[in-house]
Amino acid sequence: MEVQLTNRQQHILWATVRHYIATAEPVGSKALVDEYDLGVSSATIRNIMGVLEKSGLLYQPHTSAGRVPSDSGYRIYVDQLIKPSLADNMRTDVLAKEVELALQNRLQWEDWSLETLLQGAAQILASVSGCISLITMPQTSTATLRHLQLVQIEANKIMLIVVTDTYETHSRMMNLSLDEKEPTPDPEAIDHELQIVSNFLNTHLRGRSLLELITIDWSALDQAFQRYGEFLKSSVKELTRRHLTPTTTQIMVRGVAEVMRQPEFSQLQQIQTIIHLLEEEQDQLWQLIFGESETEELGKSKVTVRIGTENPLEPIRTCTLITSTYRRGLLPVGSVGVLGPTRLNYEGAMTVVAAAADYLSEAFS
């Protein structure tokens, strides 16, 4: 459910999140009056915080305590309220440059092994962010397309069949959407049309890697074949996701000791479940931080922020995971991320993740 906030409510939520991130203490109206120039009384702030609580954006951990941002409150903060001032922009620019310089000065690509380099990058990222850093080993699948065929199975239903150079076969079905104003097409005419599209695709795509296929602009198909565009686009994404089982799910992990100092991880059992995930279940984590990124559109690499319960893996549903992909040329080959409490410096964490991903992309390219 989308929450509509007034400008004043947005300002109070922004101040509450900022104060809680800085102090780790539930926030009361007096603290906001003392720390921020909000231009309203303490009573007005209390009333607005009550409204934000009823909207599910804040909550009280104890009856007599101040308020704390919920996952939904953090989500609105990240999506709508991070509007850096000139000073904030300067700080994030300095932070990005700090990450870039640290990577340049400490990593020697000519002399070190790839694994050692990524371990070093993960250590730098953890030190700068104060979070657990995660960097996946680059994926180098070379599977290419050998043959592609569109086949009519029955009336208004077609199948895409793809054969790779290793003779693995993949298929996917679709219902052919038809314009109600047009007469039902003759099956022979559909067969002829599918053969033309198949010939066109084989001419242009044979020999290309599966990762390359996700960069195709399917809208460039001839107008007569546009109805197949979305199906081909989604089919190739699904095929790539299923086929590209990584040769290794190894993830470079650094900074666990840094995070254990945070009050959110004071309970031993909680940090143990996270460590178990990082050490014993990296395949699940790999699918989360890179499995979805590998089928991004061409040139659309961006920072992804998953807050608390937005994370599908139970051990990190009290954490925030921030990730981005690094690329070789135009193709995503790995992922960079940080994992920390939901109470973290989102602007800074997003900045360092983006800077590290950009540096690795440039190095790998």
Side-chain angles (χ1 to χ4, degrees):
M1 181 179 67
E2 187 174 347
V3 180
Q4 297 292 333
L5 301 179
T6 66
N7 289 338
R8 181 168 288 177
Q9 289 168 344
Q10 288 183 349
H11 201 181
I12 299 299
L13 178 60
W14 172 86
T16 303
V17 172
R18 294 282 289 235
H19 192 78
Y20 183 66
I21 288 172
T23 65
E25 296 290 339
V27 184
S29 58
K30 185 177 184 303
L32 297 186
V33 169
D34 293 341
E35 295 292 331
Y36 300 90
D37 182 18
L38 300 176
V40 293
S41 67
S42 181
T44 300
I45 292 175
R46 278 196 301 274
N47 290 336
I48 293 175
M49 294 179 84
V51 172
L52 295 173
E53 183 175 3
K54 289 178 181 177
S55 299
L57 306 181
L58 301 177
Y59 69 93
Q60 280 185 296
H62 308 290
T63 305
S64 60
R67 290 174 174 87
V68 170
S70 66
D71 292 349
S72 299
Y74 283 123
R75 172 50 61 193
I76 288 183
Y77 177 78
V78 169
D79 291 347
Q80 302 177 26
L81 305 183
I82 294 180
K83 299 174 182 177
S85 64
L86 178 60
D88 286 334
N89 272 324
M90 291 177 63
R91 279 193 291 270
T92 55
D93 288 346
V94 168
L95 189 57
K97 195 65 178 176
E98 179 185 344
V99 174
E100 182 181 349
L101 288 175
L103 291 167
Q104 288 177 348
N105 293 336
R106 292 177 55 184
L107 303 185
Q108 303 298 321
W109 290 87
E110 297 82 1
D111 303 327
W112 293 2
S113 70
L114 176 61
E115 183 174 339
T116 302
L117 284 164
L118 293 182
Q119 286 175 346
Q123 185 60 58
I124 292 169
L125 191 57
S127 299
V128 176
S129 69
C131 298
I132 296 172
S133 66
L134 309 164
I135 301 182
T136 67
M137 290 287 285
Q139 301 307 303
T140 56
S141 175
T142 58
T144 59
L145 179 70
R146 184 179 181 86
H147 185 74
L148 181 151
Q149 190 75 35
L150 288 166
V151 180
Q152 184 174 202
I153 302 301
E154 56 185 74
N156 301 334
K157 184 170 288 188
I158 65 174
M159 176 183 288
L160 170 67
I161 301 171
V162 174
V163 182
T164 70
D165 60 339
T166 56
Y167 293 96
E168 291 184 78
T169 302
H170 305 268
S171 62
R172 194 166 189 236
M173 299 282 292
M174 80 164 282
N175 292 317
L176 187 61
S177 59
L178 300 173
D179 191 327
E180 295 180 357
K181 298 179 181 179
E182 295 181 359
T184 303
D186 178 69
E188 290 187 8
I190 291 292
D191 282 338
H192 180 66
E193 190 173 281
L194 292 176
Q195 189 59 54
I196 292 174
V197 176
S198 297
N199 291 342
F200 172 83
L201 294 173
N202 278 297
T203 299
H204 288 81
L205 304 182
R206 184 182 290 116
R208 300 180 71 165
S209 74
L210 292 180
L211 270 176
E212 284 184 278
L213 297 188
I214 65 174
T215 68
I216 300 298
D217 181 9
W218 299 104
S219 65
L221 283 173
D222 187 276
Q223 189 65 37
F225 306 132
Q226 279 299 311
R227 59 183 169 189
Y228 303 115
E230 281 303 313
F231 168 60
L232 291 169
K233 179 180 177 180
S234 63
S235 296
V236 166
K237 281 190 174 185
E238 179 62 27
L239 165 65
T240 306
R241 188 187 302 279
R242 279 189 281 153
H243 180 81
L244 291 184
T245 302
T247 54
T248 173
T249 56
Q250 186 176 6
I251 304 173
M252 306 301 163
V253 179
R254 293 292 185 274
V256 175
E258 306 276 347
V259 167
M260 288 180 67
R261 299 189 184 99
Q262 300 293 338
E264 289 87 348
F265 301 111
S266 58
Q267 295 184 0
L268 181 60
Q269 183 178 1
Q270 184 180 11
I271 196 67
Q272 283 178 334
T273 60
I274 294 175
I275 292 174
H276 179 78
L277 174 67
L278 296 174
E279 293 182 348
E280 306 297 333
E281 299 178 3
Q282 285 201 357
D283 54 339
Q284 293 186 45
L285 191 59
W286 187 93
Q287 287 295 337
L288 178 61
I289 65 177
F290 183 67
E292 295 180 11
S293 301
E294 67 190 3
T295 53
E296 286 179 340
E297 296 299 322
L298 176 63
K300 297 292 185 181
S301 183
K302 63 183 188 311
V303 174
T304 299
V305 181
R306 294 183 181 87
I307 302 170
T309 52
E310 296 172 0
N311 288 299
L313 301 179
E314 184 63 33
I316 58 172
R317 299 197 82 195
T318 58
C319 302
T320 286
L321 177 64
I322 300 177
T323 59
S324 186
T325 55
Y326 64 89
R327 295 172 175 258
R328 179 181 290 117
L330 297 175
L331 302 179
V333 294
S335 184
V336 178
V338 296
L339 180 69
T342 54
R343 182 195 59 82
L344 58 74
N345 177 354
Y346 284 90
E347 296 96 318
M350 293 164 68
T351 297
V352 299
V353 167
D358 288 345
Y359 176 82
L360 291 177
S361 293
E362 184 177 346
F364 274 90
S365 296

